[in-house]
Amino acid sequence: MGAAGVGRAARDGLRPTSHGAGGGSLAYPRGVSERPRVKPVEQADRQAARLAEAGEAATREWWRRVPRVLTAPRSVFAALGETDEVDVDARAEPVLALTILAGMAGVLITPAWGKVMNDPTVDALVVLVLTFVGGLMYGAAGYFLLGLALWLGAKAVGVEAPFRIARQVVAFAALPLALSLVILVPAIVLGFGEDWFRTGGDDDAGTGRTIVTGIGLAFVAWSLALVAVGLRTTFRLPWRGVVGALLLSGVLVAAFAVLPSAL
């Protein structure tokens, strides 16, 4: 290498190294990359952070979709057909809330809740706790049993529907039943009070209880209609599959509704 090359190397801070016995050949070390190497643990942490951020964004999006079940149900049930793991996991919070609220609305109109205060040790606070616990149990049972019915109905017509997504269809379709609490609770509290929860009260004439129960059942019918929309949209079932799944669901609901009275 000439003197000019050595001079430029000196200005760049590179020291020549000699090779060979005579030292006649000069070489310069390669420049070291300024980007530090990322350790595998750091890469895993960054990946986990990105997944967590994506999951939070997806969860917020699913909360925004909840009201659209009433106004644009097909778009919501079409989105339920997405099987990406992050998107499916992001539905957990809305599903849990809808399941519990729908279960609470369901237990309020069951015959078993009409005599829960026949026991003199049960007061209003106990009824509130029992309604929440009963709603949690009823909601969970309906979530799994009706999801199972929809899943079986889909498989019966040759559609491979994921069981988890079948349950989520049930949960989002239960939104009208969950919202019925806004009407049922004031009607029960203002119209009947504690008499709603015991036999021999003012509601035993039957008319008032029948009206309130009919309102609750109307919301149940609305939810069932949304289940049909979900079956058609999410799983693209033919109508015979929709009818079969709904009939199987009806049998399970009827059996579950009379179970508390039989105990």
Side-chain angles (χ1 to χ4, degrees):
M1 179 177 292
V6 174
R8 285 195 299 271
R11 288 195 302 271
D12 292 340
L14 299 178
R15 293 183 178 178
T17 58
S18 61
H19 297 280
S25 176
L26 296 177
Y28 295 89
R30 296 180 180 179
V32 179
S33 174
E34 296 180 358
R35 180 179 298 176
R37 295 181 59 186
V38 179
K39 298 180 180 180
V41 175
E42 294 178 356
Q43 290 180 340
D45 289 342
R46 292 178 183 179
Q47 179 67 16
R50 285 193 294 267
L51 289 176
E53 185 178 353
E56 292 174 359
T59 299
R60 290 191 296 269
E61 179 60 28
W62 275 104
W63 275 115
R64 286 192 289 267
R65 284 191 176 113
V66 170
R68 293 183 222 161
V69 175
L70 304 178
T71 59
R74 291 184 184 277
S75 65
V76 177
F77 288 118
L80 281 175
E82 174 62 52
T83 57
D84 178 72
E85 185 176 353
V86 173
D87 191 74
V88 173
D89 290 342
R91 307 163 194 169
E93 290 182 7
V95 164
L96 178 62
L98 291 172
T99 299
I100 294 176
L101 292 176
M104 292 175 64
V107 299
L108 283 177
I109 60 177
T110 57
W113 242 243
K115 53 185 179 182
V116 70
M117 292 190 75
N118 287 353
D119 185 347
T121 62
V122 176
D123 57 13
L125 180 59
V126 174
V127 169
L128 180 62
V129 174
L130 288 176
T131 301
F132 175 79
V133 175
L136 180 61
M137 296 176 61
Y138 265 67
Y143 176 67
F144 283 98
L145 289 178
L146 296 182
L148 177 62
L150 299 188
W151 181 67
L152 291 176
K155 288 183 70 68
V157 296
V159 176
E160 292 295 331
F163 182 36
R164 186 178 185 183
I165 294 182
R167 301 196 308 266
Q168 292 177 344
V169 168
V170 172
F172 278 89
L175 176 60
L177 182 56
L179 290 179
S180 68
L181 286 173
V182 178
I183 296 177
L184 294 178
V185 171
I188 292 172
V189 172
L190 299 177
F192 305 97
E194 294 182 355
D195 289 338
W196 180 266
F197 303 100
R198 63 164 59 97
T199 57
D202 292 339
D203 63 312
D204 268 2
T207 304
R209 179 176 287 274
T210 301
I211 293 174
V212 174
T213 303
I215 293 173
L217 292 177
F219 282 96
V220 172
W222 188 359
S223 290
L224 288 176
L226 288 177
V227 169
V229 173
L231 289 171
R232 286 283 291 173
T233 306
T234 305
F235 300 138
R236 300 178 181 177
L237 288 182
W239 280 115
R240 63 188 179 93
V242 173
V243 172
L246 290 179
L247 288 176
L248 181 57
S249 301
V251 171
L252 292 176
V253 169
F256 193 65
V258 300
L259 181 61
S261 300
L263 295 178

